[in-house]
Amino acid sequence: MKPDKIAIRPAAHDLRDLGIVDAFIRELAKEEGLPDATASLNDLSDALFGAAAIAYAAIAEVDGEPAGFAVYYPKYSTVTGRRGLHLEDIYVAPHYRDRHLGRAILEYLQALSGAHGMVDLWVMHSNEPAIGFYQRVGARELDGIAVYRLDHPDLNPSSGLTGLSSSETI
């Protein structure tokens, strides 16, 4: 049996790749027991390819067939002074697992982050297979860090405290 040809490439700004990333996002959400993914194709297209794009996607292929993906964005640590990437999502389709594809995606991202860069990611405490995988490739859990999200309607730029109007965003 010939070895698989693995390729990791940036997602192209076209409907085919957008559909691939969207399908993998929905598969990931279903596998993790999360509510249905609510981002529309327009939301995803704007985030990845719009005038104010804020993220990137990579597609993993095995023998030319889509097999997985990653969505990531740049980050900077003021503490270490290092640039890096935040890995928002990584997914390998079940029938492509155990072929070192997840490792190949992480190596791709590590290379993108630069010689002294880092890749940070979040993982659900209940996702023991992912935690085991990250530990096997050398990732370490950061001590003393908790993840918080601000999205409460009472915390609103329209309060006038920020000097921003509610229509101004990053």
Side-chain angles (χ1 to χ4, degrees), residues 15-37:
L15 286 177
R16 179 180 182 272
D17 278 3
L18 195 61
I20 290 168
V21 172
D22 182 64
F24 282 141
I25 288 170
R26 292 176 192 288
E27 286 178 31
L28 175 61
K30 182 178 177 184
E31 192 171 293
E32 290 184 340
L34 299 172
D36 290 334

Side-chain angles (χ1 to χ4, degrees), residues 73 86 88 121-123 125 143-152 155:
Y73 50 86
H86 175 83
E88 181 66 23
L121 56 102
W122 300 345
V123 61
H125 293 290
D143 293 328
I145 294 179
V147 176
Y148 290 85
R149 175 171 294 148
L150 288 172
D151 64 358
H152 194 277
L155 191 61

